[in-house]
């Protein structure tokens, strides 16, 4: 059973989500939050598998609420809901630790499958879309020092082997596991093992955070 907390300041929106989720045999709604502060508090109390997180809410917004929830290290995962495809708030939410994003006008089946994917540790945003997302909002990335002041290597990269660094780089380029296996001449099971180790060693909550890390550390350059 996947447990869900709905965070949205629109009562009718929350009702619609609740009716949809509770129509499923494998999902249950633990509660509803009308703002970010309530979402953080209720997550700490209820420990849902997934928080459906609206971005624009009064007081504490969904981005900061996501950041606070993921910072606890709890198993709860956050699925950001946005009004527009590639909304800049979705990018900010992913950087805050969300496991994915969906637009609010997504089909019910998309929302349900997205919740199930996030609950099992997968990313909702397909790898082929993460590059487009990050390239669109790459101006949000911190400015890197010039040649006269080279930046020290990010400590999150230090534990990686050469192969794992290569895997992180191609994850950042949006390659799927199948593409990695084909292009690097590896068994797909080996790729999955490498990806799992990269996520663990870098402290990435999921594939999306690994993509962001690849950009942040300069392993992947915006096109």
């Amino acid at each position: 059973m996947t447990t869900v907390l709905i965070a949205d300041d629109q009562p009718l929106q929350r009702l619609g989500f609740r009716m949809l989720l509770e129509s499923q045999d494998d999902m249950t709604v633990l509660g509803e939050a009308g703002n970010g502060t309530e979402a953080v508090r209720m997550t700490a109390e209820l420990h849902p598998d997934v928080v459906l997180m609206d971005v624009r809410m009064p007081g504490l917004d969904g981005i900061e609420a996501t950041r606070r929830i993921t910072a606890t290290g709890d198993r709860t995962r956050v699925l950001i809901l946005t009004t527009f495809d590639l909304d800049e708030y979705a990018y900010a939410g992913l950087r805050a630790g969300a496991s994915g994003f969906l637009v609010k006008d997504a089909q019910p089946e998309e929302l349900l499958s997205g919740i199930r994917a996030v609950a099992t540790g997968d990313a909702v945003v397909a790898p082929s879309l993460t590059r487009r997302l990050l390239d669109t909002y790459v101006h949000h990335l911190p400015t890197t020092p010039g040649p006269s002041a080279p930046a020290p290597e990010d400590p999150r990269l230090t534990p990686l082997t050469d192969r794992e660094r290569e895997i992180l780089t191609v994850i950042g380029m949006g390659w799927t596991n199948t593409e990695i296996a084909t292009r690097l001449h590896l068994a797909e099971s080996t790729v999955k093992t490498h990806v799992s180790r990269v996520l663990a060693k870098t402290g990435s909550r999921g594939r999306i955070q690994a993509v962001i890390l690849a950009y942040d550390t300069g392993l992947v350059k915006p096109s």
Side-chain angles (χ1 to χ4, degrees):
M1 184 67 70
T2 299
T3 57
V4 182
L5 174 68
I6 301 169
D8 196 298
D9 66 332
Q10 301 288 331
L12 287 178
Q13 187 81 70
R14 296 198 304 269
L15 176 61
F17 287 143
R18 177 182 281 274
M19 292 176 64
L20 173 63
L21 300 185
E22 292 190 339
S23 71
Q24 305 299 302
D25 294 336
D26 62 337
M27 293 185 186
T28 185
V29 177
L30 296 184
E32 301 177 15
N35 56 58
T37 300
E38 289 183 0
V40 173
R41 175 181 58 79
M42 294 178 71
T43 298
E45 294 174 355
L46 302 174
H47 304 286
D49 296 316
V50 178
V51 177
L52 283 184
M53 184 72 75
D54 186 26
V55 173
R56 299 175 181 88
M57 293 186 289
L60 191 72
D61 66 20
I63 304 302
E64 182 58 29
T66 296
R67 186 175 292 110
R68 295 185 187 186
I69 289 171
T70 58
T72 66
D74 195 18
R75 63 180 178 82
T76 297
R77 294 180 178 271
V78 179
L79 176 56
I80 292 283
L81 297 173
T82 65
T83 305
F84 304 105
D85 184 27
L86 294 186
D87 184 339
E88 64 181 288
Y89 289 106
Y91 178 86
L94 296 177
R95 288 184 61 85
S99 295
F101 80 93
L102 288 174
V103 290
K104 283 191 172 182
D105 61 356
Q107 294 297 314
E109 295 76 15
E110 292 180 86
L111 177 60
L112 294 172
S113 63
I115 292 171
R116 293 185 179 104
V118 168
T120 58
D122 290 334
V124 172
V125 185
S128 59
L129 296 179
T130 56
R131 175 106 191 219
R132 182 165 64 98
L133 173 68
L134 291 172
D135 280 355
T136 301
Y137 294 104
V138 73
H139 61 275
H140 287 272
L141 293 173
T143 303
T144 56
S148 61
E153 180 173 90
D154 192 295
R156 291 172 293 179
L157 299 180
T158 303
L160 300 180
T161 65
D162 290 342
R163 174 63 86 179
E164 289 165 353
R165 188 179 294 243
E166 181 181 27
I167 295 294
L168 176 58
T169 300
V170 296
I171 288 175
M173 294 169 63
W175 293 14
T176 64
N177 284 354
T178 299
E179 290 172 333
I180 295 173
T182 300
R183 299 181 189 185
L184 299 185
H185 307 290
L186 299 170
E188 194 156 348
S189 59
T190 302
V191 172
K192 291 179 180 178
T193 299
H194 283 314
V195 171
S196 295
R197 288 175 178 168
V198 167
L199 297 182
K201 288 184 178 182
T202 60
S204 301
R205 287 174 61 89
R207 198 181 190 102
I208 292 174
Q209 276 69 52
V211 174
I212 292 173
L213 173 64
Y215 273 75
D216 279 345
T217 57
L219 289 179
V220 177
K221 304 293 184 183
S223 57

